[in-house]
Every structure is written in C-alpha cells, then in structure tokens.
Amino acid sequence: MHTQTITAALLGFLLPVIGIMGFNAWQDPFQYYRKIEESRFSENARWQNPGLIRNFDYDSVLIGTSRFENFKPSMFQPANWNVLKVTASGSMANEQLHTLELVLNQGKADRIVLEMSHVSYTLPLERKPSEFPDFLYQSTLETPFQYLLSYDLLLQSFTPSKREQIPLDELYVWWTQANDAFGKANLLSHIASQCDKPIESRAEKPPIQAYLHRLERLISTHPQVKFITVFTPLSAIELGEGPEHDEVRDPIADRLDFRAQTAAVASRNPNMILYDYAAREEIVTDLDRYKDTGHFDMATTELIAMEIITQTAPLADLNNVNSRLLKLREEFDPARFSCAQLSKKSPHPTAQSEIGLVGI
Amino acid sequence: MLFSSPVFIFYFLPVVLALALALRTYGRSATPFVCLVSIASLSFYAYSNPAWLPLILGSILVNYFLGAVIASATRIARPSLVIGICFNLGLLGYFKYADFLIVTANSMLGIDQATLNVILPIGISFYTFQQIAYLVDVYHQPELKRRFIDYVFFVSFFPQLIAGPIVHHSELIPQLATVKQRDIASDLSTGLCLFFMGLAKKVLIADTLGQYASAYFGAPTAGFTQAWLGVSAYSLQIYFDFSGYSDMALGLGMMFGLKLPVNFDSPYQAKSIIDFWRRWHITLSRFLKDYLYIPLGGNRRGDVRRFANLLITMLLGGLWHGAGWGFILWGGLHGLYLCLNHWLATLSLPQWLRAAGWPLTLIAVVFAWVPFRADGLIDTVFIWKVLLGMADTSSAVPLDLNLVGYLLVGWLLVCFAPNSQQIINYLFPQAQYPTQPSKLLSGEFPNRVRPLFAATMGCAAAVGLAMNNRIAEFLYFQF
C-alpha cells in the first residue's frame, strides 16, 4: 500500500514536470538551447537575447537600451561586421553587464559596441526574475528548471505563430512605429506632459563606480576584444538644471560624474574607445531629431553607425569629456525649456507625445 | 536554498534522501545516518551564503561547550547558563537588531551614526532560540543525553533549520535511537504527501495571493473594498506560506524518519485570541511561554503583573519576527488582545457574545496583520482608517473577480476544511500528529484514496512550480 502511495506521489509530481519541460525543450520558444528559426522572433528581448548570444553567429555585438534598438546589423555590413544586436529597452547597467558577460563567455565576439547611458548606470533598479531572467545569462544547475518548467513558456510553446515574423535585421527596431512622433513640437509636448508627474525621490548616491568597476574588469580581462563605447546623443534640453529639491540628487551632477569615470576607464584600457555623441552640438541641439529628450531619429542612428565603422566618430577623453558638454549647456540655455517656461507658452499641453510610444 | 527551489527539489533532496535511506537500511547504527544528514544540513545552510557557515558552527560549538559545563551541575552551571543566553541574544541582537537600533537612535536623538549594513544570516532567529531552549533544558535536566554529533544534528537538521518549527532537544534526539527500526515505506509515503501538500500550498496558493497582497500594500488605495481584499489576501498568503513551509518541514522530517512538532492547527478557526495562539506558530508560542512568560512570573503574581507579562512577551515576540516598528506594533496589538481576552474570560458573557468569538477573533487577527505587512507606520494607520471606513473611499476601483474567487476558496479552506495534519492522520493513522480529528474526516476510506490523494498533491505541486516561473513582457514608456 505504501509503495503504491509513494509511486503515485512521485508519478503525480514527475509526469507533469517531465511533460511541461519536455514540450518546452522541444519548442524552445526563445531558442535558448538551439537555433530553430532564422526569421521568427519574440519581442521579449530580455528572454530572447541569451539564446541569440549562445546560438547565432556573429563577430560583433551591440548592447544597449531602446536608444540602440534602431541600429540594424546591416548598417555595419560595409565594414564586413557580422553584428548581433542584443539590446533591451529600459535596460539597467546590471542587465547590460549580464549580457556582456554572456557574450564574452561565448568567445565569438571580436568587438562590442556598448551604449553608455548615464540613466542605466545611475538608477539601481532591480528587476524581478520574470522581467529579467538572470538564470539565462548565468547558467546554473537550476536554469533548465527555471526556464523550462514554466506555464507561461508552455503557452508560448503552444502558440509559435504568435511570435513575430521578423528578419533578424529588423528585430527590436521601433522606428517604423514611432515615425510620426519625432520633431520639436512633439518633443516639447512630451516634456510638458511630464511636468505634472511627481519627481522620484533619489537621495542615495548612485552605484556608478561599482558598475563601472565590473565593466572595467571585463574589458581588461578580454584584451583581444575591442570595446566601442558610445555616449548617445540626448537632446540638449536634458542639460537643464536638476530639480531644486533637497531629497533628489541633481541628475546633471550624476551625469558628469558618470562621464568622467567612464573616460577614466577608457584611458586605462587600450582596447576601449569612447565616442561622445552627447556633446555633438549639431545633433543634440537640433530638436527635430527627437521624439522625447532621449530618443533620436533614424537619420541620427544611421549617422552614428556610419561614423563608428569609418572611425570618424567624436572621441571623448579625460580632457574633454565634460568641458564640451558644459560649454554646450551654457550656449544652449536649456532653461528655456523648463516646465515653468513651457507652461507660460502653453497652459494646456497636448498629449500628442503619448501616441505611438508603446514599448519604447 | 528554499524548499520550493529547483536546486532543493531536483538535486539536494533526491541525493541526500537516497543516501540517508541507504544508511538507514544498511548502516550498523544510526551514527552514519546522523553524520550524513548533519553534513548535508550544513551544506544546505552554506549554499545560501558560505560566509554564514562559520557563524552557525561557532554558535553550535559555544553552546555545546556551555551545555556541557551546565550539565556538570557545579557552581558555575548557573553563570554559564547566563553567559549562554547572553551569547545567543548578543549574536541575534547584533545580526538582527544593530542597524535597527542605530536608525532608531538617529531619528530619536537627531544624530547621524552610520549603519553597520549587517546582513541577517538566514535561520539565525530559529537556531538561536532552539539553542537557548537547549541550555535552559540542560540546566533543569543535567542528565539530558548529548553526543556532539547528535547536537550538531539537532541544531542543523535542514528541514527545521531556516523556518522552524523550533524543536526541543528532547523531541528530536531520542528519535535517533529508533530511526533504523522505523518502517521506511510508511515514512516515505507520509512524508511525500505532506511535503507535496505543503509545496502546493506555498507555490499554488500563497504565491498567487502574494501578488495581489504586494500590489495592494505597495500602493494602498482609499477604497474600502480594495483594502479588505488586499488585507485578506495577505492574511491568507501568510497562513498558506508559513503553514505550507511547516508542512514541507514536517514532511521532510518524516521522509528522514523523524517526526517534527506541529506548527499550525487551523489557526483561523480559533474561537478566541488565546485559542489562536495555541494554533498559530505553535512552537514559537510554546517557546515564548516556557522561556519568557513563565520566567517573568506568568500569571502567578496577580492580574496586573500577568497582563504586563503578556504584553512584554508579545512585544518581544513581535520584535523576534523582524527589526521594525511594524512587528513591534503587531506584537503589542496581540498582547492587548490577549489581555482583553483573559479579562473577558473572567466575566460571565451572554451566549451570543461567546458565539461571536470566532468571527471577532478572525477580524482582530486580520486587522493586526496590517502593521506586519505595511511599508511603515504611516501606511499602517492609513490602511486601518480605510478598513474602518474612516478614509475617503472615492477612489474605489472595479472589483478584481479573480481575486474575489481566490479569496473565497482560500477562506473556505482555512475556515472549514481539515488541516494538513488532520488529513495525514486520517490517511496515515500511524502518523498520529497531535491535532483534533476533523469532523469532515471520519470512518473508513477506500484504500485507493491514498494513492489518488498522493498523486493529486504531487501534481498540484508540479503545476504550482510551473505557474510560479513567470515570463513578464517588459513594457517601457520613457527610455
């Protein structure tokens, strides 16, 4: 009798486990264990990128946030770079470093193009495992159970047709969905719409140094890999004063700190190059290029890609990393676009900027 | 390493259990079994953070040594007991309360002392209390049998190491003498059913309700109904989570041939607060009563002193749960409830009021969970006001029918269904866990029920694990 009970308990537990894991392994919707499809992908970058990194061919990798998502691998084709883009919108430094570690562990990449965003490095946000599955980036004994023993994954395994039919070159590109959202009017409208939102209290010192230390360790231990790091071009309006509030850190101070520390890392590592589009005047002051203060248009994306492969992008070093930005700030006078000024011009900001921004 | 984690279920448990069963079957004595399980338990502990291993080993060594001195029954026995208690409380105080005290002092005295950023070692509250109880027990019973390896086993036995139950030396160690004679098949079938039942309670019910509770307590709203639903969700979450974990501990103990004390006995069916504390976290209540309330004088020195002792005991009991004012408030509230209950017990109340004991107790308990879970005292007061209908309810949002359904099932289960021990006692009469038999479970049952129940629990646990591994679509609108 007891033997029957033990058998029943074990079978009752193991059969669903084996069934779910087996079917999920066979379908493998995020292609984590093997490359299954060349042109059908999920838009869930955080879950899909580890499989792309492990199972696809590349010699160059693009890592960054939504600002990097409009880069297409084909833009780097003139230089014969075989690029894999593993960006993730809203990704924090911790997520990007996990991605970078996985890329480097595969040993396939000769160069990494890495977005250096002060926002990613100054917000110590923790994501839930459901949002950022770090077990796919740092494989352990538990990984097969955490990935495959999942009801949500089972649903995806049953509905492969729900994954988008996208060529790899177009993966994560959002430009086409937001084409109409760019331009100075949209940008100002977006800023105005943000004015009423409460300011997030952030009194603690951001963990910039810890993240950059982790990045530098990866750079210095992989001297054969070239790290092309890029300060992306935020609109010059982002250079405005931080809010006058005791409990909120000044974002400009954090940004300058981040830039200086990044330049110091670059100065110590010959295999790292630092390009600075954040201080490129003709881009950051041309507000028509933006849909909000941080997201630039496709023409700017193409320009950056071209200058990276032709090595004509603006270099940043310890001497110029903050001086150019501060000079730009002085000349541009971002205070013109403060909430107080905008409300004088338009007491009822439109919500136009909310259109077409989902997922970006 | 949690009992619901893959590394525990699919790697640690099968390997350690297989080896332990082999030693139970083929070992010449229980000693190899005790050594194996002790080493496995310490590995289990070190898996979370290897740096904590020296801490528990040091604590074991010091307490075992002091126990030996106390057992010598010489003049230094009593000072050694005092030293032992101070050592354990000091350890707990440093790791659990140092930063809390610094933060409190900073805010009260207006100073700016830096915190120590001490990381709380997992399970320290449990194994510290267990060892304090051991020292006191040895003081009163110097003849208590104590081999070093048995003592290591007693403190580190992994099913009870990180979340209880808080076990007495006399409950566990004597069982080692008979562990080889026990029926392994019976232990395994009972233990597996109990383990899977606990796992299903944790991953299928508690974790699901936890999402709703977190959503409400993360951003409490002024809606009266939402507040009651959110607080109800947490009340059920904490019960299913903790009692599920205790079931898993009891089931694991049974798989290894050892019967651990029951920790929950349908507490939400309690007819008074006194009754509630006989059913909720029973081994902690027993510890607080035997090692704090009674030494303080208990009820032997008049009502005023008795109520003061109750309040002190419950305040410290609250503080034991965590270093925060919310826990202290929760403990204090239960202390007041207990005082009120003891005072009411001396009056001759009308029958209808006595009959209202169960719903009143339930409401009082649910009300008290608010400071236990809320993010700070401001949120606590706000939620209490909303629960009492004293806050603006204009922001009420539509009812989440899924949540209402989960809550309905949950409350029906905790208020009317038999509890895990009652089910196990019914299916496996040899288990004999100390609990009242359920009125719903009586008479003979067909033999096929047992495997069917076991398979259902196994399946529920597996499905619960699969439901817990979520995939979130990341939506981002700013970046």
Side-chain angles (χ1 to χ4, degrees), chain B residues 18-35:
Chain B
L19 291 173
L21 291 178
L23 289 179
R24 272 177 75 184
T25 310
Y26 302 111
R28 288 188 176 176
S29 69
T31 305
F33 166 82
V34 172
C35 290

Side-chain angles (χ1 to χ4, degrees), chain B residues 101-112:
Chain B
L101 289 175
I102 291 171
V103 170
T104 306
N106 283 349
S107 71
M108 291 177 96
L109 306 174
I111 55 176
D112 190 22

Side-chain angles (χ1 to χ4, degrees), chain A residues 1-2 5-6 8-9 12-13 44 46-47 65-67 89-90 119 127 130 141-142 145 149-152 295 359-360, chain B residues 5-7 9-11 185-186 188-189 196 447 450-451 454-455 458-459 462 466 469-472 474 476-479:
Chain A
M1 192 66 221
H2 287 304
T5 310
I6 296 166
F13 180 70
N44 198 336
R46 287 167 171 77
W47 283 78
T65 68
S66 54
R67 282 185 268 277
S89 62
V119 182
R127 302 240 185 263
S130 58
L141 286 173
E142 293 197 283
F145 297 99
L149 183 54
S150 164
Y151 175 72
D152 281 358
H295 290 94
I360 295 166
Chain B
S5 64
V7 72
I9 294 172
F10 297 105
Y11 298 103
S186 166
L188 267 185
S189 58
F196 283 141
N447 274 344
R450 205 157 27 194
C459 186
N469 287 335
R470 305 310 304 262
I471 298 174
F474 190 84
Y476 199 75
F477 297 93
Q478 296 178 11
F479 207 23

